[in-house]
Amino acid sequence: MATIPSLNPLRIRTNKNVETTEDFKKGGDHEEPLSPMAQLFHEPGSNVYIIGILGSKTKIRSDVFKDNLVHTFLKNRRFSSLQVLDKVNGSMKWIPTHVNIDDHVIIPKLDPNMESSDKFVEDYISNLSGSPIENTKPLWDLHILNIKTSEAEGTCVFRFHHSLGDGMSLMNLLLSCTRKVADPEALPTLPSNKKSSDTKVSSLWSGFSILWNSFVALVMFVMTALFLEDTKTPMKGSEGVEQRPRRFVIRSVSLDDIKFVKKAMNVTLNDVVLGATQAGLYRYLHRRYSETDGDNIDVPHNIRLRATVFFNLRGSTKIEDFTDTTRHGTWGNKIGYSLLPFNITLKKDPLDYIRDAKAIMDRKKASLEPLFTYSFANLVFKLFGIKVAGKLNHKVFYNTTLWFSNVPGPQEEISFFGHEVAYLAPSCFGQPNALMIHVVSYKDKVTFVISADKETIPNPQQLCDDLQESFHTIKASIEST
């Protein structure tokens, strides 16, 4: 089984189109250092990749994709540069290089008569998660699978090393390459293009609440980094989980149904999604414990199960020209995270799952936890170096159970390089958790994307079923009142 190694130190021979060693030492105009967060994603245990799965309603024309990638992705310096270690000071820098698009676009020959195209695509993507991208080229690639599945006529699989940018940067890069199907000249719109507001202090009491919530979050963060580990459950990954291949499965629910629950309970869309996720996790764990210990064995009481929830720290989610990494200042890894506790227990009223999620998220919103985690990682890097910062980051992630992310997608049907998009499914692999749940909206659907370690969670399809069924139970409970 191929492992995902640390890329430090890099030993790369640059070609004739790249600056010479002397130019590199002088700090030429074309060189740019990797940010601390980008370097963190090269440390052992944090060598994370972002994967983007895109289903097309038509067969994919590879020549069209290649031509357009040259005029979009390759204009972005991060997608046309190597990441090279400066042996003088130990830092890493972007070094521009000549890119052969055929080295990055992979089109395997497929058997049109295969027994199950859906299983083949799932297996293919799983295999990608077990092998890193060669560090002798820019750290991204695209795999085109031109075979009909139950969801699409063709499937594109993008892989990006997390050092290239965070999920918001990469999502916006992809969306900047799309257009509305109803208006081929217009960029798609996200649910909100307004500037995001910082945590606001409206009164003395709210200011105290923010300080208190932030202090509690700080204490929990430090305790987690030192010793506080989640309960060992059938979802908790074992040591070395970041090096194992993963399964990626998706399941969708109606966006209108989620909006119906949101309106009925006067909560946010994120509260509904988190509540349904909490209910689905309980349902799945109850089944796993019952299978192991006998019928009707419930989930143990008072288990500690937390998610690392990621927050975008940028001021805007507006889709712009993301081929320019300097003009907008929106590239890089500008994300913070919070440690979100789930109450994994049976609730007589299914709506209590959403009420609990809202109460927890309200506390998280009334704190500076995401900004703190982002700033703290940078501070540790500056004071103690990348190795210490990497070990701290890994410890926090490993001691929790899962990653969770919720990203708004286009509100209308879109096309990518002229191909109408059937679905979008972003996720990650290489993280020291056995499970990631990524939620993305597109048009009239909300899709749960599961990234699961095959050894810890051998049946991620069942987990998808549980998430979907839990939401339907919540909706039915509202309809019956």
Side-chain angles (χ1 to χ4, degrees):
M1 181 185 300
T3 60
I4 303 178
S6 168
L7 301 184
N8 252 339
L10 295 182
R11 299 181 181 274
I12 298 176
R13 290 184 297 175
T14 56
N15 61 39
K16 63 182 179 180
N17 292 323
V18 182
E19 289 85 357
T20 65
T21 303
E22 289 302 316
D23 289 335
F24 174 77
K25 290 180 179 179
K26 293 177 183 177
D29 293 338
H30 298 290
E31 297 169 4
E32 179 185 351
L34 267 70
S35 68
M37 287 299 293
Q39 292 196 54
L40 271 178
F41 284 114
H42 283 296
E43 287 302 297
S46 300
N47 196 7
V48 179
Y49 285 80
I50 294 174
I51 193 164
I53 308 167
L54 183 150
S56 173
K57 291 187 176 181
T58 59
K59 291 296 181 183
I60 300 166
R61 293 166 289 170
S62 58
D63 56 334
V64 173
F65 263 61
K66 289 180 182 180
D67 289 343
N68 280 278
L69 288 172
V70 170
H71 298 292
T72 52
F73 279 36
L74 297 193
K75 285 186 177 181
N76 185 309
R77 284 169 51 188
R78 290 169 181 259
F79 285 76
S80 56
S81 297
L82 302 175
Q83 299 179 24
V84 179
L85 179 69
D86 183 353
K87 297 180 180 179
V88 176
N89 57 26
S91 65
M92 298 179 69
K93 294 187 177 183
W94 304 96
I95 303 296
T97 186
H98 173 74
V99 176
N100 181 354
I101 195 66
D102 291 323
D103 292 337
H104 293 267
V105 179
I106 294 88
I107 311 169
K109 293 183 179 180
L110 306 179
D111 179 8
N113 299 316
M114 65 179 63
E115 184 176 344
S116 173
S117 57
D118 288 88
K119 186 176 186 304
F120 170 83
V121 171
E122 185 179 314
D123 290 343
Y124 187 97
I125 299 173
S126 178
N127 289 336
L128 288 180
S129 70
S131 59
I133 300 174
E134 292 293 333
N135 54 42
T136 53
K137 64 182 182 180
L139 298 177
W140 68 276
D141 60 21
L142 165 64
H143 298 252
I144 296 178
L145 307 178
N146 253 330
I147 189 165
K148 180 179 173 59
T149 63
S150 59
E151 299 287 339
E153 292 291 330
T155 305
C156 298
V157 185
F158 290 91
R159 283 195 304 174
F160 310 104
H161 194 271
H162 215 315
S163 59
L164 295 177
D166 56 32
M168 187 58 67
S169 294
L170 295 167
M171 174 65 83
N172 276 277
L173 174 64
L174 290 176
L175 292 181
S176 70
C177 299
T178 68
R179 295 295 183 268
K180 297 179 183 179
V181 171
D183 184 358
E185 300 299 321
L187 286 168
T189 53
L190 297 178
S192 175
N193 283 337
K194 298 179 181 179
K195 293 277 185 178
S196 61
S197 58
D198 296 330
T199 302
K200 295 181 179 180
V201 180
S202 58
S203 66
L204 181 62
W205 175 251
S206 68
F208 175 78
S209 297
I210 291 170
L211 291 175
W212 174 252
N213 290 334
S214 300
F215 173 74
V216 172
L218 167 61
V219 171
M220 293 301 297
F221 177 84
V222 173
M223 291 173 62
T224 302
L226 294 176
F227 63 86
L228 188 64
E229 185 176 355
D230 280 6
T231 306
K232 300 286 187 184
T233 69
M235 286 183 183
K236 183 74 171 68
S238 58
E239 187 174 350
V241 64
E242 65 270 14
Q243 299 178 354
R244 300 196 290 262
R246 304 175 78 87
R247 282 280 171 187
F248 299 88
V249 293
I250 64 175
R251 197 63 50 85
S252 297
V253 297
S254 166
L255 178 58
D256 286 339
D257 286 348
I258 289 184
K259 289 180 177 179
F260 168 76
V261 176
K262 166 187 176 294
K263 184 177 180 180
M265 298 193 66
N266 192 28
V267 296
T268 67
L269 292 175
N270 195 49
D271 293 334
V272 177
V273 169
L274 276 172
T277 299
Q278 188 170 237
L281 293 180
Y282 168 77
R283 185 187 292 263
Y284 177 80
L285 283 176
H286 176 71
R287 178 181 292 102
R288 289 290 300 272
Y289 279 111
S290 296
E291 291 172 351
T292 303
D293 301 324
D295 293 338
N296 299 320
I297 298 298
D298 202 356
V299 178
H301 292 294
N302 301 320
I303 67 171
R304 182 184 301 112
L305 193 154
R306 294 171 295 170
T308 303
V309 182
F310 293 90
F311 291 85
N312 171 38
L313 297 180
R314 295 183 176 84
S316 174
T317 58
K318 184 177 181 180
I319 301 172
E320 301 180 272
D321 178 13
F322 277 74
T323 61
D324 187 343
T325 60
T326 59
R327 178 182 174 189
H328 300 289
T330 48
W331 270 92
N333 283 282
K334 197 170 183 181
I335 49 175
Y337 58 84
S338 292
L339 302 182
L340 186 71
F342 281 119
N343 184 10
I344 305 298
T345 184
L346 176 63
K347 298 184 183 297
K348 294 182 179 180
D349 183 357
L351 303 185
D352 283 342
Y353 288 110
I354 295 179
R355 297 186 183 105
D356 275 2
K358 174 177 170 52
I360 294 171
M361 284 306 298
D362 284 349
R363 289 197 299 271
K364 294 297 180 180
K365 291 174 185 176
S367 80
L368 302 175
E369 185 177 359
L371 182 61
F372 164 76
T373 54
Y374 174 79
S375 302
F376 189 80
N378 280 280
L379 179 63
V380 171
F381 173 82
K382 292 178 181 178
L383 293 178
F384 304 105
I386 190 65
K387 295 299 180 184
V388 174
K391 290 179 179 178
L392 173 73
N393 226 33
H394 176 266
K395 189 72 171 178
V396 172
F397 292 152
Y398 176 75
N399 280 346
T400 57
T401 300
L402 71 146
W403 280 13
F404 184 90
S405 182
N406 187 2
V407 175
Q411 294 180 292
E412 56 280 305
E413 193 170 11
I414 60 172
S415 63
F416 189 90
F417 296 153
H419 298 71
E420 292 188 19
V421 175
Y423 68 89
L424 296 168
S427 192
C428 290
F429 63 88
Q431 63 271 35
N433 305 87
L435 174 65
M436 179 176 184
I437 300 177
H438 194 111
V439 183
V440 61
S441 60
Y442 172 49
K443 196 183 174 185
D444 57 352
K445 293 182 179 180
V446 171
T447 299
F448 291 85
V449 188
I450 302 296
S451 167
D453 168 45
K454 295 191 289 186
E455 181 178 307
T456 309
I457 304 174
N459 52 348
Q461 293 88 353
Q462 183 61 64
L463 177 55
C464 278
D465 291 341
D466 290 331
L467 292 171
Q468 188 178 51
E469 184 60 32
S470 294
F471 173 72
H472 290 157
T473 300
I474 290 170
K475 178 174 177 283
S477 179
I478 292 177
E479 292 174 330
S480 65
T481 57

